[in-house]
Amino acid sequence: MTAKSLPVIAALAVTALAGCAGGQSSQSPGDTRFVAGDGKVQVFPVAERHKAPAIEGATIDGATEKVAAGNVYVLNFWASWCAPCRAEAPVLKDIAAKTKASGVQFVGINFKDLQASAQAYDRTVQPGYPSIFDKTGKVLLSFQGTVPPAAIPSTLIIDKQGRIAGRALGGVKYNELLSAVTKVSDE
């Protein structure tokens, strides 16, 4: 390694980490570029909600998970290598347990990850809900043209009619996510 290569390596490292959420950036609903986020939950007015795509896939443990209209779902896009994903895990786990009795279902979407790493992370965190293993980003890309997740982590709230009711870019905050999920669940 030469002294000339160090600035290039540093620039590449910063670029690679930019996809992992940190600060806030603006984005239009159909934009699929990764941006940093601050974890704030945006709940969309009912008249402005887009239909969520069909979501089905193999979980990190090999079962099949399917998201269907009729329930409120919270989809969390994560990867085992993402520090903000690890930081928000206790928040998601607690809210999932707290809202389960009211019919809210949480589903993780693990992508850009190794299956063994995702499984190890899941064994450690024990979130209490399944995660679809989406190494290629197929589930993520299915949201293109609606309200795609755009940071790691990202969280989407799907209403009972199967529409995208809310989105958070970046690590979620407990009270804000609980309030948004409760609001959508009570509709």
Side-chain angles (χ1 to χ4, degrees):
M1 181 178 311
T2 67
K4 287 183 177 181
S5 65
L6 287 177
V8 172
I9 292 169
L12 289 173
V14 169
T15 302
L17 291 174
C20 218
Q24 179 62 28
S25 178
S26 63
Q27 179 188 30
S28 64
D31 193 343
T32 59
R33 292 174 293 161
F34 282 93
V35 298
D38 63 5
K40 291 189 185 219
V41 180
Q42 178 183 8
V43 177
F44 304 112
V46 174
E48 296 176 19
R49 294 180 185 174
H50 299 278
K51 181 101 173 118
I55 301 165
E56 183 174 359
T59 66
I60 59 176
D61 294 324
T64 300
E65 185 65 31
K66 182 177 184 176
V67 173
N71 293 308
V72 171
Y73 284 89
V74 177
L75 306 179
N76 178 256
F77 292 79
W78 65 277
S80 65
W81 46 262
C82 169
C85 300
R86 291 180 177 275
E88 75 173 358
V91 169
L92 295 165
K93 180 178 180 176
D94 191 59
I95 294 174
K98 188 172 277 194
T99 59
K100 189 174 186 172
S102 62
V104 176
Q105 297 182 28
F106 277 59
V107 176
I109 310 292
N110 173 268
F111 72 108
K112 294 188 178 186
D113 213 344
L114 299 173
Q115 191 163 5
S117 298
Q119 290 169 333
Y121 174 90
D122 200 59
R123 280 191 303 272
T124 300
V125 173
Q126 298 182 356
Y129 55 85
S131 283
I132 293 173
F133 183 64
D134 188 37
K135 182 175 179 74
T136 62
K138 181 181 174 185
V139 173
L140 176 78
L141 290 173
S142 70
F143 285 92
Q144 187 172 349
T146 59
V147 182
I152 301 171
S154 285
T155 303
L156 297 177
I157 303 169
I158 310 297
D159 68 17
K160 293 174 187 170
Q161 289 73 37
R163 301 171 301 192
I164 304 165
R167 175 175 72 175
L169 302 178
V172 293
K173 312 293 186 280
Y174 187 91
N175 289 334
E176 195 169 342
L177 181 61
L178 180 59
S179 175
V181 169
T182 302
K183 178 180 180 179
V184 173
S185 180
D186 288 348
E187 292 178 341

